[in-house]
Amino acid sequence: MTEAILLVGGQGTRLRPLTISTPKPMLPVAGLPVTVHQILRARDAGVSRVVLGTSYRAEVFADRLGDGRALGVEIAYAVEDEPLGTGGAIRHAAEKLTCGADDPVMVLNGDVLTGVDYRSLVGGHVESGAALTLHLTRVADPTAYGLVPTGGDGRVLAFREKPQTPEEIVTDQINAGCYVFTRSVIDEIPTGRPVSVERETFPDLLERGLLVRGVVDDAYWLDLGTPWDFVRGSADLVRGIAPWDGHEAADALVLEGAQVSDRAVVGEGTTVGPGVQVRGDALVEGSVLLEGCVIEAGARVVDSVIGQRARIGAGATVVGSVVGDDAVIGAGNELRHGARVWPGVELPATAVRFSSDA
Ligand code: GTP
């Protein structure tokens, strides 16, 4: 039996306002919380017990996931009174593990979609006798990530968090947020204070001369930290680009109780959430429409997230934007790349554009 710790206690500030009421890992991508996608993949790779390290809005996880039985795993909760950072959270969650000191423990960041082979990561870790194994992925622009150069034998040489200068960009391999620890290594992380695993624990293991392995794997990988990556990840799942066992690739996913008019065009991996209404000749592409929102006739919604019960008025345009729960975008209004509308805000109709589009 393998146990896993999922880190799901972050505030998800980059995804505001979506994360004001729902923690990032519980936001639905292709209709299911990110955490559920992760748990299902971990279960299929032999993980039977998951400890969720929660802090921000901890109650949302237990309400929705319960004891895990419905997902075919056992779920335990380790709730932090104050956020302990990634390392502190792993140490705190370890109190709920049942495995022995020499056993492998998988640790996953709660906001990553990946097709990496968990089973082979754990198997390779055990065989090598390493203290820590990290999944590394290659990205075109590594500046927003933690760089992890390795030697020819896969041994990690250094950790460089978010490089600032070109000289610091020593590799395109980045920390993909999926680790296998030997349990005893977790037990050595200090308790009772915030610890960053990336800035403190990992460099410390290297300094102590312990074996830290990096496994470069080019399977699908996406960090859902920003709204733009969030909509992309959801669309990739729907379209069969991101891994989702048993799902048949489709152009759109229309969930129960949603109503899509015959004249509407809905595609490019869009998810139409429960109870959503897409009316008239509305066009929706590459977007996530959350439960109960309404898209009126003639509206155009592209690469955007529309919050629960929000309303996009007739002829309005919403491109690359986030509309919070219960917000109203007036008829004919336009939101373009990067716009974020807070929950409940009402933007007026702009009648001129509406009348020319209607
Ligand atoms: P941003 O605020 O947008 O950066 O998002 P975030 O708060 O999720 O931070 P980040 O993406 O860097 O976190 C990586 C993973 O660690 C996410 O899955 C977080 O939920 C988790 N995480 C970050 N800090 C903590 C913490 O203090 N406690 C716990 N339990 N998890 C954390």
Side-chain angles (χ1 to χ4, degrees):
M1 170 179 103
T2 307
E3 289 181 296
I5 293 172
L6 252 65
L7 297 177
V8 293
Q11 300 223 352
T13 49
R14 288 166 296 159
L15 268 179
R16 280 186 192 154
L18 298 172
T19 46
I20 291 174
S21 54
T22 307
K24 174 168 59 174
M26 288 306 281
L27 289 171
V29 284
L32 285 178
V34 187
T35 298
V36 170
H37 284 284
Q38 287 184 317
I39 290 175
L40 294 177
R41 285 205 72 243
R43 178 200 66 190
D44 293 346
V47 170
S48 51
R49 195 159 177 283
V50 176
V51 181
L52 289 188
T54 62
S55 169
Y56 178 67
R57 296 212 164 267
E59 70 290 351
V60 177
F61 294 91
D63 286 353
R64 171 75 204 262
L65 305 174
D67 62 6
R69 212 171 310 169
L71 298 174
V73 293
E74 184 188 338
I75 295 181
Y77 297 88
V79 184
E80 296 150 44
D81 296 332
E82 295 291 327
L84 290 171
T86 44
I90 296 170
R91 176 66 183 85
H92 183 255
E95 308 277 343
K96 304 266 174 161
L97 294 173
T98 60
C99 63
D102 296 331
D103 290 331
V105 177
M106 271 184 53
V107 177
L108 305 176
N109 275 2
D111 53 357
V112 169
L113 280 184
T114 176
V116 72
D117 184 342
Y118 291 146
R119 204 183 279 272
S120 105
L121 270 187
V122 174
H125 175 84
V126 172
E127 224 166 81
S128 70
L132 169 71
T133 298
L134 298 101
H135 167 213
L136 308 180
T137 189
R138 280 187 275 249
V139 292
D141 177 11
T143 50
Y145 301 97
L147 269 49
V148 187
T150 48
D153 54 358
R155 210 178 167 114
V156 169
L157 302 174
F159 290 95
R160 300 225 190 295
E161 272 305 302
K162 305 192 175 69
Q164 303 296 318
T165 62
E167 298 75 53
E168 285 180 304
I169 304 176
V170 292
T171 177
D172 61 355
Q173 298 172 186
I174 62 151
N175 171 359
C178 164
Y179 323 116
V180 186
F181 278 86
T182 298
R183 162 80 194 260
S184 57
V185 173
I186 298 179
D187 292 338
E188 289 165 6
I189 297 173
T191 55
R193 67 168 172 89
V195 177
S196 160
V197 84
E198 300 87 353
R199 293 178 191 279
E200 189 175 336
T201 311
F202 294 164
D204 181 55
L205 294 178
L206 286 189
E207 235 164 72
R208 289 162 58 197
L210 296 175
L211 175 58
V212 179
R213 297 165 65 240
V215 176
V216 183
D217 185 304
D218 292 329
Y220 182 92
W221 183 87
L222 190 64
D223 174 341
L224 304 177
T226 67
W228 338 119
D229 287 331
F230 181 80
V231 284
R232 203 177 107 209
S234 183
D236 284 351
L237 282 165
V238 172
R239 300 204 290 175
I241 296 166
W244 186 5
D245 255 13
H247 169 70
E248 214 167 285
D251 207 34
L253 184 64
V254 179
L255 298 173
E256 66 280 1
Q259 292 174 16
V260 177
S261 139
D262 289 346
R263 289 190 298 131
V265 176
V266 176
E268 305 279 325
T270 292
T271 297
V272 183
V276 167
Q277 295 185 34
V278 182
R279 296 181 172 155
D281 58 350
L283 172 93
V284 186
E285 288 179 341
S287 295
V288 176
L289 307 183
L290 295 176
E291 188 162 354
C293 71
V294 177
I295 315 296
E296 297 286 5
R300 200 164 77 87
V301 176
V302 179
D303 298 339
S304 297
V305 187
I306 310 301
Q308 296 180 33
R309 299 169 303 278
R311 179 176 295 263
I312 309 300
T317 297
V318 179
V319 178
S321 299
V322 179
V323 175
D325 295 346
D326 302 296
V328 178
I329 310 303
N333 211 325
E334 295 191 25
L335 296 177
R336 301 267 178 197
H337 307 282
R340 299 187 193 206
V341 179
W342 247 238
V345 167
E346 296 192 15
L347 299 184
T350 56
V352 175
R353 179 165 169 86
F354 174 46
S355 58
S356 66
D357 273 5

